[in-house]
Amino acid sequence: MSSEKLRSPAKVLKAERAVFNHQLGLATRAQLLRQGVTPGQVRAALVQGRWISAGPGLYAVASWPNDPTRRLLAACLATKGVASHASAAWLWQLIKNEPSPVVVSVAHCERSVAHSPTGRRPRASEPANVFNSLALVVHRSRDLSERCISTRRGVPTTNPLRTLVDMAADTPPALLDEAIDTA
């Protein structure tokens, strides 16, 4: 499907599935618009409760189960980043427990769409999103090249070697030892 405007509800649902089913029920506004979904159709899906806002320019299928992998992917999509540090180690099963905060890395020159929480409470008028309840750390990297990025369980992430190197910079020794021993 190209950027042609979709008129029938069946075509809209088909376009939605093309994006949402491959990303744990998540899609960016840009991805949906590229599939031909109109801004009005996005608004309608939100009003009808089929989708919820998961962050600035990020939507989630309301009925999709929320799990740690989905929250991590939401952080990656919203920041245009990749899982890194302890979050990547958890994806690669180098550590047992889901880390908090979620850690993503973005290219130094990338301007993120989303902003991590700053400690301020969201206003009542703000829609609920993944960042209202998610502790998020965003690292800017000058050397985040394609050769050190992989995909694990549908989430873009640093490869295992890069993950261990990143962890060495700021991870407690016991957690780093666990990751190295498992690797």
Side-chain angles (χ1 to χ4, degrees):
M1 236 176 263
S2 66
S3 62
E4 68 184 63
K5 300 299 180 212
L6 303 175
R7 301 289 179 220
S8 79
K11 287 184 180 178
V12 173
L13 289 173
K14 184 178 179 184
E16 288 176 18
R17 282 189 213 107
V19 178
F20 284 120
N21 285 348
H22 296 290
Q23 296 182 151
L24 305 175
L26 299 165
T28 66
R29 182 177 184 83
Q31 290 171 326
L32 292 164
L33 295 177
R34 277 193 303 270
Q35 287 295 319
V37 177
T38 67
Q41 290 164 331
V42 170
R43 282 190 299 280
L46 291 167
V47 168
Q48 294 166 0
R50 291 192 340 255
W51 304 350
I52 58 173
S53 174
L58 181 63
Y59 305 103
V61 174
S63 61
W64 201 285
N66 202 10
D67 67 17
T69 305
R70 186 179 194 219
R71 287 190 296 274
L72 183 52
L73 178 58
C76 292
L77 290 171
T79 60
K80 299 180 184 177
V82 300
S84 64
H85 298 71
S87 293
W90 176 76
L91 275 176
W92 290 110
Q93 298 177 318
L94 300 176
I95 60 174
K96 292 177 188 158
N97 298 320
E98 173 194 4
S100 183
V102 168
V103 183
V104 297
S105 290
V106 297
H108 189 266
C109 61
E110 185 66 55
R111 185 178 169 115
S112 295
V113 173
H115 304 284
S116 62
T118 59
R120 104 174 151 73
R121 298 173 80 44
R123 286 179 245 127
S125 61
E126 290 179 308
N129 68 55
V130 71
F131 299 107
N132 290 349
S133 62
L134 181 68
L136 175 67
V137 173
V138 178
H139 289 275
R140 292 198 175 275
S141 174
R142 293 189 186 276
D143 64 347
L144 191 63
S145 67
E146 290 297 319
R147 72 178 185 274
C148 65
I149 297 174
S150 190
T151 300
R152 175 85 168 163
R153 297 191 310 207
V155 179
T157 184
T158 53
N159 65 34
L161 180 58
R162 171 65 186 258
T163 296
L164 292 172
V165 170
D166 287 344
M167 286 181 73
D170 64 3
T171 302
L175 192 60
L176 180 59
D177 287 347
E178 177 186 346
I180 291 170
D181 290 347
T182 303

